[in-house]
Amino acid sequence: MNIIGIVVEYNPFHNGHLYHINEAKRITGADYTIAIISGPFTQAGNISTIDKFTKAQIAIENGVDLVLGVLSTNSAAYRNARTIAANYPNIPFPYGWKANILGVVFE
């Protein structure tokens, strides 16, 4: 069983997000997709235009199998995600989930 995780905002969801989901599945051969979705604020600190429950529903309707909330940087899950990212340096989408796990800031 192959599972992928993506960190997303979907504020709002658009065709690029759908492409990201489908390409991530195709490239990795994933059987399941887990999305970590932002809550009431975006990664840039702005107020989200869509509530987290609507974002989760949109994700499920577009091929995501499990939706989870954003990880606290002090959590064991976050530390585990950083370890996973470090072990897969060639994974596609370097500005997607991996950038979020590694704490990359885009200005």
Side-chain angles (χ1 to χ4, degrees), residues 23-96:
E23 279 296 287
K25 286 180 172 184
R26 183 186 67 78
I27 290 168
T28 63
D31 301 304
Y32 299 100
T33 303
I34 299 171
I36 309 298
I37 294 184
S38 59
F41 296 97
T42 67
Q43 295 169 26
N46 300 316
I47 296 172
S48 181
T49 59
I50 303 171
D51 68 87
K52 63 184 176 182
F53 302 105
T54 302
K55 291 181 203 180
Q57 183 62 40
I58 291 168
I60 296 295
E61 291 171 357
N62 285 279
V64 173
D65 300 295
L66 175 64
V67 176
L68 303 172
V70 173
L71 301 173
S72 164
T73 57
N74 294 324
S75 70
Y78 182 85
R79 289 189 298 276
N80 290 340
R82 285 185 63 105
T83 300
I84 292 168
N87 290 333
Y88 295 93
N90 296 323
I91 200 149
F93 310 113
Y95 299 104

